[in-house]
Amino acid sequence: MMIVMTPQAAEDQIQAVVARLETTGVHVVVMPGELTTAIGAIGDPEGVAELGIEGMPGVDRVVPISRSYKLASSELSHHEPSVFDIGGRTVGGGSTFCLIAGPCTVESREQTLGVARAVKAAGASMLRGGAFKPRTSPFAFKGLGAPALEILSEAREETGLPIVTELLDAQHAGLIEQYADVVQIGARNMQNYALLEVAGKLGKPVLLKRGLSSSLDELLQAADYVLKEGNEAVILCERGIRTFETATRFTLDLGAIPWLKLHTHLPVIVDPSHAAGDRRLVGPLSRAAAAVGADGLIVEVHEDPEHALCDGPQALQASQFAEFTAAVAAHAQLEGMRLA
Ligand code: PEP
Ligand code: MN
């Protein structure tokens, strides 16, 4: 923590700040400059944050030096990338590329089993599918609920693919715990801190999507909410953010991937489907994701996107999924990765 005094700060004001900092046992260094004096407080940033230094006479600003996210950070103790085994599929670590694919929403048994077979045959690592859907309009299809989880379970039984499905509300935690292999937290719930704690307690890997308008710092602090429950398996997902650009549904922040790789040990995957909102962009964005070092993708696939109940325009055609996978695998290979 660095405390910057105003140019007018008097010596007794500087000494008052030093005295207050010293009550927490931090090492204090006073650095007089040409215009202002800066005071460094080394150690215990939490204790210092609670001292109310900002309000003291002569203080201009308090500048934190250490990161706001702790457990997700690769800078403190966790320098090596985290690697998770999920039903025999490796996520993270840099040598495998995880391809999660499936429908946006479980609409029926036939639809889900059909897509599950297609994505399995093409080499997908896991099956996605929503049972409880967060919809912008309360009048839109919100998913089949519990029966959808039964259908996903049948698809897992047949294909062997682990299931990724969203925990929308804490009241469904028991059900999701029973059926999911990976618990998805949707973009709209990234800052639902109570839900993050519930997800953290389920003891299953959590796929945490970046909020629509959330910074990467906020994403990593959200990950800390899950990690602090003792759950080490958090997969981050860049799924596009709100910008002034409206040509695409969201703006896929490709720079987020190498930035996250520098600052966190957690695996990072990309959702090009929700970012693009248009299936024609999903292939290029997926290949780009592999090129910037993503650990995998989560993509939407449908056998009949025209009649999908949710997100049809962005769903890849199931019949074209093998071709898509081959292109992604080739790009992942350039990065030294093979499909998980
Ligand atoms: C989804 O993956 O189905 C979904 C709703 O995504 P997001 O939370 O990123 O909008
Ligand atoms: Mn969707």
Side-chain angles (χ1 to χ4, degrees), residues 104-105 128 133 249 274 300 310-311 314:
C104 173
T105 310
R128 64 149 290 148
K133 297 299 299 178
R249 190 175 175 192
H274 290 89
E300 292 189 340
C310 183
D311 287 349
Q314 68 197 33

mmCIF file of all heavy atoms in Angstrom, residues 104-105 128 133 249 274 300 310-311 314, ligand 2:
data_model
loop_
_atom_site.group_PDB
_atom_site.id
_atom_site.type_symbol
_atom_site.label_atom_id
_atom_site.label_comp_id
_atom_site.label_asym_id
_atom_site.label_seq_id
_atom_site.Cartn_x
_atom_site.Cartn_y
_atom_site.Cartn_z
ATOM 1 N N CYS A 104 -27.677 -25.106 -26.480
ATOM 2 C CA CYS A 104 -27.852 -24.056 -25.490
ATOM 3 C C CYS A 104 -28.709 -24.619 -24.359
ATOM 4 O O CYS A 104 -28.332 -24.580 -23.201
ATOM 5 C CB CYS A 104 -28.552 -22.857 -26.143
ATOM 6 S SG CYS A 104 -28.996 -21.567 -24.986
ATOM 7 N N THR A 105 -29.827 -25.199 -24.778
ATOM 8 C CA THR A 105 -30.837 -25.651 -23.820
ATOM 9 C C THR A 105 -31.284 -27.072 -24.153
ATOM 10 O O THR A 105 -31.412 -27.427 -25.329
ATOM 11 C CB THR A 105 -32.082 -24.735 -23.935
ATOM 12 O OG1 THR A 105 -31.639 -23.385 -23.883
ATOM 13 C CG2 THR A 105 -33.078 -24.984 -22.839
ATOM 14 N N ARG A 128 -22.423 -29.834 -23.058
ATOM 15 C CA ARG A 128 -23.100 -28.743 -22.379
ATOM 16 C C ARG A 128 -24.599 -28.816 -22.645
ATOM 17 O O ARG A 128 -25.035 -29.395 -23.659
ATOM 18 C CB ARG A 128 -22.567 -27.368 -22.799
ATOM 19 C CG ARG A 128 -22.783 -26.985 -24.262
ATOM 20 C CD ARG A 128 -22.958 -25.470 -24.456
ATOM 21 N NE ARG A 128 -24.238 -25.024 -23.905
ATOM 22 C CZ ARG A 128 -24.439 -23.830 -23.379
ATOM 23 N NH1 ARG A 128 -23.464 -22.949 -23.322
ATOM 24 N NH2 ARG A 128 -25.641 -23.510 -22.894
ATOM 25 N N LYS A 133 -32.483 -21.918 -17.497
ATOM 26 C CA LYS A 133 -31.881 -20.887 -18.356
ATOM 27 C C LYS A 133 -32.142 -19.478 -17.836
ATOM 28 O O LYS A 133 -33.275 -19.127 -17.506
ATOM 29 C CB LYS A 133 -32.469 -20.974 -19.776
ATOM 30 C CG LYS A 133 -32.196 -22.258 -20.489
ATOM 31 C CD LYS A 133 -30.720 -22.512 -20.696
ATOM 32 C CE LYS A 133 -30.036 -21.452 -21.541
ATOM 33 N NZ LYS A 133 -28.580 -21.726 -21.684
ATOM 34 N N ARG A 249 -23.017 -9.839 -31.004
ATOM 35 C CA ARG A 249 -23.897 -9.826 -29.819
ATOM 36 C C ARG A 249 -23.161 -9.241 -28.618
ATOM 37 O O ARG A 249 -23.682 -8.438 -27.865
ATOM 38 C CB ARG A 249 -24.346 -11.271 -29.563
ATOM 39 C CG ARG A 249 -25.430 -11.404 -28.540
ATOM 40 C CD ARG A 249 -25.917 -12.851 -28.432
ATOM 41 N NE ARG A 249 -26.881 -12.987 -27.372
ATOM 42 C CZ ARG A 249 -27.312 -14.136 -26.884
ATOM 43 N NH1 ARG A 249 -26.864 -15.283 -27.391
ATOM 44 N NH2 ARG A 249 -28.183 -14.183 -25.906
ATOM 45 N N HIS A 274 -21.867 -17.254 -27.558
ATOM 46 C CA HIS A 274 -22.600 -16.127 -26.982
ATOM 47 C C HIS A 274 -21.946 -14.798 -27.341
ATOM 48 O O HIS A 274 -22.615 -13.776 -27.421
ATOM 49 C CB HIS A 274 -22.746 -16.297 -25.471
ATOM 50 C CG HIS A 274 -23.682 -17.411 -25.123
ATOM 51 N ND1 HIS A 274 -23.262 -18.708 -24.958
ATOM 52 C CD2 HIS A 274 -25.036 -17.430 -24.978
ATOM 53 C CE1 HIS A 274 -24.305 -19.468 -24.702
ATOM 54 N NE2 HIS A 274 -25.398 -18.733 -24.708
ATOM 55 N N GLU A 300 -22.054 -23.840 -28.760
ATOM 56 C CA GLU A 300 -23.421 -24.345 -28.881
ATOM 57 C C GLU A 300 -23.618 -25.033 -30.240
ATOM 58 O O GLU A 300 -23.178 -24.526 -31.283
ATOM 59 C CB GLU A 300 -24.415 -23.194 -28.690
ATOM 60 C CG GLU A 300 -24.372 -22.706 -27.249
ATOM 61 C CD GLU A 300 -25.441 -21.712 -26.860
ATOM 62 O OE1 GLU A 300 -26.030 -21.066 -27.757
ATOM 63 O OE2 GLU A 300 -25.681 -21.575 -25.659
ATOM 64 N N CYS A 310 -33.831 -21.652 -28.211
ATOM 65 C CA CYS A 310 -32.975 -20.605 -27.621
ATOM 66 C C CYS A 310 -31.662 -20.534 -28.396
ATOM 67 O O CYS A 310 -31.056 -21.576 -28.670
ATOM 68 C CB CYS A 310 -32.717 -20.999 -26.161
ATOM 69 S SG CYS A 310 -31.767 -19.814 -25.233
ATOM 70 N N ASP A 311 -31.235 -19.355 -28.767
ATOM 71 C CA ASP A 311 -29.908 -19.125 -29.352
ATOM 72 C C ASP A 311 -29.621 -19.889 -30.650
ATOM 73 O O ASP A 311 -28.457 -20.226 -30.935
ATOM 74 C CB ASP A 311 -28.805 -19.444 -28.321
ATOM 75 C CG ASP A 311 -28.713 -18.376 -27.226
ATOM 76 O OD1 ASP A 311 -29.346 -17.309 -27.380
ATOM 77 O OD2 ASP A 311 -28.011 -18.618 -26.236
ATOM 78 N N GLN A 314 -26.764 -18.702 -33.332
ATOM 79 C CA GLN A 314 -25.341 -18.871 -33.012
ATOM 80 C C GLN A 314 -24.940 -20.343 -32.916
ATOM 81 O O GLN A 314 -23.758 -20.655 -32.758
ATOM 82 C CB GLN A 314 -24.996 -18.157 -31.709
ATOM 83 C CG GLN A 314 -25.622 -18.790 -30.461
ATOM 84 C CD GLN A 314 -25.619 -17.852 -29.277
ATOM 85 O OE1 GLN A 314 -25.745 -16.642 -29.412
ATOM 86 N NE2 GLN A 314 -25.469 -18.391 -28.080
HETATM 87 MN MN MN B 2 -27.133 -20.011 -25.159
#
